[in-house]
Amino acid sequence: MKHILVVDNQIANCELLSKFLTKKNFTVATTTKGNHALQMLRQNKYDLILAEYSLPDTQGNDFFDEVHKMDPTANMILMGKEVNLKNVVTLIQKGARNFISKPLNPDELLDALQKAGNGTNYKIPTKPSPPQKTKPTPASSDRVTGNSKKARAIIEQVERVGPTNFSVIIQGETGTGKESLAHLIHQKSMRKDGPFVAVDCGCLSRELAGSELFGHEKGSFTGAAFQKVGFFEQADGGTIFLDEIANLPMDIQTALLRALQEKVIRKIGGTKEIPVDVRIIAATNENLSEKSETANFREDLYFRLCEYTLDVPSLRERPEDIPLFLDFFLEETSRELQRPKARFCKEATALLEEYDWPGNIRELRNVIRRATLFADSENLISLDSLPSRISNYRDSLYDTDESRADEESSPVRNKGDLKSTALKAESRRIMEVLEKVRYNKTRAAEVLNIHRKTLYVKLKLLNIPC
């Protein structure tokens, strides 16, 4: 098999697939629209068609039917994200060679192409798999929420706001699972059968942000070879999740405000107003209320978005959840690697429960996945398998304990010496800042111009509750 037609709704995806498959000795043609693909198929013969299920001008089932009317022997592999399983089964039964979930895995893609070239179709199981005797776990690691009081309070708020159509702002540090909560809110809503479109606003360039969100017309700017459907149109009837919304440029904030108020959008270079019905869930690791008081974020947009606000606690604020996450991620990694579940030694477990986790749940998951690779023959993970930043944290704790012991044994302690006076002044300053920022440790570290980890070490050294 040499000649492949790639049909994807994103120009960037077409370019990436073309480069990748060309390196694998395929001849590749690309397009972003189903109708254009049909024209290309009338003019050329392709060994295989690799097509996105959700195209701007058609859907997978309709596109597949049109192709097979033209050529009943056509080889087609479809790909997509969060596509209804029933539709996938229908396509396979009609004769599609395979269906690949996005984001694409290179090895999986090449395997599917090879099997399609050999005339092998994906087989749909006719009998259910035997029941597994393992305890049920969430379908995705991102859906772990915890059992602490703070975690349960967040879930109660999700249950409360989910069924409404309120716009929601989710605030929390990086890695706390804000997108996970957005998914849960969507699943609790009347829009759960509609699309959920996640957008990382931090990755949107100033030049292309408007095009990505609202779409563009053909020829509206250099490189706009085709009409583009933006994220808002893709999310019509469902939910759009705007992660790191504080990074949006001001002109895009203005267009977003209009879309929220008028429930219409206008493509870049277009004159037609397109009605859209979407629910907005925004997320940020900044304080939008404070930012809206500056020239960096529109105050009217903030008030339009904050119909409901969720403040997600950091992992260090709910350490009782750490053992639950440790166990879950160990099981998840075990299934992924198809090997027996590993376990941490007592010293490693104690350190992981003590560490402050600046990267929160995301960091914890990555540490466990990496450490599992270094488990010994008895599936035990030792201290040496942990990243150096965690080992260094352990050393800093030991140094702090020794320093405190030295101070307690000092004959001049609390006698007005320079060191004691400096410590008292430092303690007062830290408490002043903490009270001013309402004990937000991240904000306090910024005001004090020190790293958050340094602040926690100082809190322990000064015996200030944290």
Side-chain angles (χ1 to χ4, degrees):
M1 180 177 300
K2 293 295 183 181
H3 205 180
I4 296 179
L5 173 61
V6 174
V7 191
D8 194 287
N9 54 20
Q10 300 289 330
I11 296 176
N13 289 345
C14 288
E15 292 176 350
L16 286 173
L17 284 169
S18 179
K19 291 178 181 178
F20 173 72
L21 294 174
T22 299
K23 289 181 180 179
K24 300 299 179 181
N25 299 319
F26 292 100
T27 300
V28 185
T30 66
T31 181
T32 59
K33 297 182 71 175
N35 289 333
H36 187 232
L38 294 175
Q39 293 177 11
M40 297 172 70
L41 287 165
R42 292 187 186 98
Q43 299 169 2
N44 301 282
K45 177 67 177 179
Y46 298 92
D47 297 302
L48 184 115
I49 305 159
L50 179 62
E52 164 68 41
Y53 182 85
S54 299
L55 294 168
D57 53 353
T58 186
Q59 287 294 305
N61 289 310
D62 297 332
F63 180 68
F64 182 88
D65 291 341
E66 289 297 323
V67 171
H68 271 250
K69 285 179 183 178
M70 297 169 51
D71 181 5
T73 64
N75 284 330
M76 188 183 301
I77 294 176
L78 288 114
M79 53 187 175
K81 183 178 181 182
E82 297 183 0
V83 177
N84 187 289
L85 181 60
K86 183 179 179 181
N87 292 335
V88 174
V89 173
T90 299
L91 286 166
I92 298 297
Q93 291 173 338
K94 285 182 177 181
R97 295 299 185 187
N98 209 329
F99 187 95
I100 309 175
S101 297
K102 283 188 171 183
L104 298 178
N105 179 292
D107 293 333
E108 181 185 1
L109 174 59
L110 290 176
D111 181 63
L113 293 176
Q114 181 181 4
K115 289 180 178 178
N118 296 332
T120 305
N121 284 47
Y122 177 81
K123 301 298 183 182
I124 302 174
T126 56
K127 295 182 180 180
S129 302
Q132 301 295 317
K133 295 183 179 180
T134 57
K135 60 184 180 180
T137 56
S140 165
S141 61
D142 290 335
R143 307 299 169 87
V144 183
T145 55
N147 292 323
S148 66
K149 184 177 179 180
K150 290 186 176 182
R152 291 196 302 270
I154 285 290
I155 296 305
E156 288 176 3
Q157 293 185 67
V158 169
E159 296 281 353
R160 184 181 305 120
V161 74
T164 73
N165 207 33
F166 287 6
S167 296
V168 180
I169 295 178
I170 305 176
Q171 297 184 152
E173 294 180 11
T174 299
T176 49
K178 297 186 288 294
E179 185 170 349
S180 166
L181 288 175
H183 270 285
L184 288 175
I185 292 171
H186 175 70
Q187 290 300 319
K188 299 292 181 183
S189 72
M190 299 296 289
R191 300 171 176 266
K192 63 182 179 181
D193 295 325
F196 178 92
V197 177
V199 183
D200 186 351
C201 298
C203 294
L204 297 179
S205 66
R206 185 180 187 87
E207 295 76 15
L208 295 178
S211 170
E212 293 293 328
L213 289 173
F214 308 117
H216 64 249
E217 296 291 351
K218 179 180 178 180
S220 56
F221 55 86
T222 303
F226 303 98
Q227 184 189 67
K228 176 182 174 61
V229 174
F231 291 130
F232 266 79
E233 277 189 271
Q234 294 177 33
D236 190 29
T239 302
I240 187 167
F241 172 62
L242 302 177
D243 196 13
E244 303 306 340
I245 191 172
N247 292 317
L248 285 178
M250 290 299 293
D251 55 336
I252 303 302
Q253 292 181 31
T254 302
L256 176 58
L257 177 63
R258 182 173 184 276
L260 291 175
Q261 291 177 337
E262 306 297 332
K263 299 188 184 301
V264 295
I265 62 168
R266 182 178 296 172
K267 293 180 183 290
I268 303 298
T271 57
K272 178 183 176 182
E273 291 189 336
I274 303 170
V276 289
D277 173 27
V278 297
R279 182 187 192 176
I280 305 289
I281 301 179
T284 178
N285 58 11
E286 301 184 50
N287 189 317
L288 275 190
S289 178
E290 292 182 1
K291 193 161 186 175
S292 68
E293 296 175 0
T294 68
N296 296 319
F297 198 84
R298 289 188 62 121
E299 188 176 37
D300 47 2
L301 176 58
Y302 168 71
F303 287 123
R304 181 62 184 81
L305 289 169
C306 71
E307 292 181 318
Y308 197 95
T309 302
L310 279 174
D311 290 304
V312 187
S314 63
L315 189 55
R316 78 184 68 85
E317 294 177 276
R318 46 181 180 133
E320 58 270 39
D321 283 332
I322 292 178
L324 173 68
F325 287 116
L326 287 176
D327 184 68
F328 178 82
F329 291 135
L330 285 170
E331 287 192 4
E332 178 193 63
T333 308
S334 171
R335 291 193 300 272
E336 179 184 352
L337 299 179
Q338 296 183 350
R339 57 194 291 181
K341 179 181 175 182
R343 68 188 192 282
F344 287 98
C345 69
K346 292 182 179 179
E347 294 81 2
T349 300
L351 180 55
L352 292 174
E353 292 179 359
E354 183 71 21
Y355 182 60
D356 67 352
W357 298 109
N360 293 290
I361 300 172
R362 184 182 301 150
E363 180 187 11
L364 174 61
R365 179 175 183 265
N366 291 339
V367 166
I368 292 175
R369 285 164 59 82
R370 176 190 178 278
T372 301
L373 297 176
F374 296 94
D376 61 20
S377 58
E378 297 180 352
N379 289 315
L380 188 68
I381 303 173
S382 66
L383 280 169
D384 295 335
S385 301
L386 299 179
S388 58
R389 66 179 181 278
I390 298 181
S391 301
N392 293 339
Y393 179 81
R394 175 192 59 178
D395 295 339
S396 71
L397 290 181
Y398 290 161
D399 291 343
T400 298
D401 291 340
E402 291 172 2
S403 298
R404 186 180 295 119
D406 290 343
E407 286 183 11
E408 290 176 350
S409 61
S410 174
V412 295
R413 183 174 180 267
N414 292 329
K415 290 186 178 180
D417 59 282
L418 187 60
K419 184 175 181 180
S420 296
T421 302
L423 286 173
K424 289 178 182 178
E426 187 175 48
S427 176
R428 282 196 301 270
R429 176 56 181 159
I430 290 175
M431 286 304 301
E432 288 174 0
V433 173
L434 284 172
E435 291 173 0
K436 183 177 180 180
V437 299
R438 298 181 181 179
Y439 293 88
N440 183 319
K441 309 295 192 310
T442 302
R443 181 63 181 144
E446 292 176 356
V447 173
L448 293 167
N449 197 25
I450 60 176
H451 193 277
R452 186 173 58 243
K453 181 177 176 180
T454 304
L455 174 61
Y456 274 87
V457 172
K458 288 184 176 294
L459 291 175
K460 288 180 179 291
L461 174 64
L462 299 170
N463 205 23
I464 298 174
C466 58

